[in-house]
Amino acid sequence: MSTVALPIESFGVSHRGCVRDHNEDNYLIDPQTGLWVVADGMGGHEAGEVASASIVDHLATIGIASSAPDLRARFEDRLSRANSEIRNISRSRGVTIGSTFAALLAMDGRFAGLWAGDSRIYLVRNGMIFQVSKDHTEVQELLDRGMISAEEALTWPRRHVITHAVGVSDELEIDFQQGELIAGDVFVLSTDGLTAHVSDAEIEATVRSGTPQAACQSLLEMVLARGGTDNVTIVLVKIGGGRDGALHQDRSGAESLAR
């Protein structure tokens, strides 16, 4: 393992929004293992939250990995266990439940973003915002095929239909992107309750203007002020930089404003 690491500051918020009567989202902040996750459950009351909680609960058992490949292997193992558990719950209840997720793994100066569904991972770097993840939705597939325009996608009737999620099939399908960490990087993990109301440019500006805690709270306030039609969960991870390159203690926080 590398003896050089960058300091990390992270924070998360979750809220049921202005319309829903309960929160099906869950999230995990675990800087000691290099893992941050948001999960958006699907399946209705007392079902969607079970699915998203299963993902978070299993991933919380990863422990300290010996290397970046080991961390990735542990992640995929725990996610597979969650998929099996959710499938069993679905069969026992006679209904289909599942959860999207977006996760960030960081170790040895590198990162991996992994996801299924329309929960997203953004990277704000050098004053620009990049969408690391790519939505697993019907509308994204139509965009990729050139069958609709970006403008049409904004109001497409089936734009929220998910094509991949944890727990909806025995075969788990996830995507990933990876790269090097750079001091100053800020990762934004969110469920679609954020991106339904806040633009990429607004996310970038908010992230640049404050700490992870302040930015999370500002983004949440934007969502709620604009109607908050869905549950919303936001996790920010800021990669700092020390002059000596030594490992700094993480300053992480978590807040749930509506349980």
Side-chain angles (χ1 to χ4, degrees):
M1 290 177 60
S2 170
T3 58
V4 176
L6 294 167
I8 297 173
E9 182 180 1
S10 51
F11 196 83
V13 293
S14 188
H15 197 286
R16 65 181 174 86
C18 302
V19 176
R20 303 293 179 88
D21 61 3
H22 64 289
N23 193 351
E24 295 184 289
D25 289 358
N26 272 285
Y27 69 102
L28 175 66
I29 294 177
D30 194 351
Q32 297 305 311
T33 60
L35 172 63
W36 297 262
V37 183
V38 298
D40 182 356
M42 306 175 295
H45 188 55
E46 296 183 354
E49 58 263 49
V50 170
S52 62
S54 176
I55 291 173
V56 166
D57 290 347
H58 280 284
L59 291 176
T61 70
I62 279 181
I64 305 300
S66 61
S67 64
D70 181 37
L71 178 58
R72 172 76 180 272
R74 289 171 181 238
F75 178 91
E76 293 183 349
D77 171 72
R78 300 317 193 271
L79 194 65
S80 179
R81 296 184 195 183
N83 190 70
S84 297
E85 180 176 76
I86 296 167
R87 294 292 290 158
N88 289 334
I89 295 171
S90 293
R91 282 188 281 265
S92 68
R93 297 187 180 186
V95 296
T96 298
I97 66 174
S99 179
T100 71
F101 83 90
L104 173 70
L105 306 181
M107 190 173 192
D108 292 344
R110 294 188 61 80
F111 76 88
L114 304 97
W115 71 94
D118 61 354
S119 289
R120 289 184 179 177
I121 306 165
Y122 288 97
L123 169 59
V124 177
R125 173 180 284 178
N126 297 329
M128 300 179 66
I129 188 168
F130 307 91
Q131 186 175 330
V132 175
S133 60
K134 188 174 185 179
D135 294 349
H136 294 141
T137 58
E138 283 191 5
V139 73
Q140 185 63 56
E141 291 183 354
L142 293 172
L143 278 168
D144 292 345
R145 296 171 187 167
M147 298 177 68
I148 62 173
S149 67
E151 291 73 21
E152 289 174 316
L154 295 174
T155 56
W156 197 255
R158 291 172 59 84
R159 63 188 178 278
H160 298 302
V161 176
I162 304 297
T163 56
H164 297 329
V166 181
V168 299
S169 65
D170 292 332
E171 189 70 24
L172 180 59
E173 296 184 59
I174 64 174
D175 269 340
F176 79 97
Q177 291 283 350
Q178 58 186 355
E180 293 186 4
L181 292 171
I182 297 176
D185 283 349
V186 182
F187 291 90
V188 182
L189 282 64
S190 76
T191 57
D192 64 333
L194 172 66
T195 51
H197 297 285
V198 182
S199 70
D200 291 5
E202 289 174 317
I203 293 172
E204 186 272 332
T206 304
V207 165
R208 282 196 298 110
S209 65
T211 64
Q213 179 175 353
C216 275
Q217 293 172 334
S218 293
L219 290 170
L220 177 59
E221 288 170 4
M222 283 188 205
V223 171
L224 298 180
R226 296 171 185 181
T229 56
D230 198 357
N231 306 149
V232 56
T233 299
I234 309 159
V235 169
L236 262 66
V237 183
K238 182 176 182 179
I239 311 300
R243 287 179 298 175
D244 56 2
L247 177 66
H248 287 54
Q249 183 176 3
D250 174 83
R251 302 188 304 279
S252 60
E255 184 172 330
S256 182
L257 302 183
R259 293 172 176 84

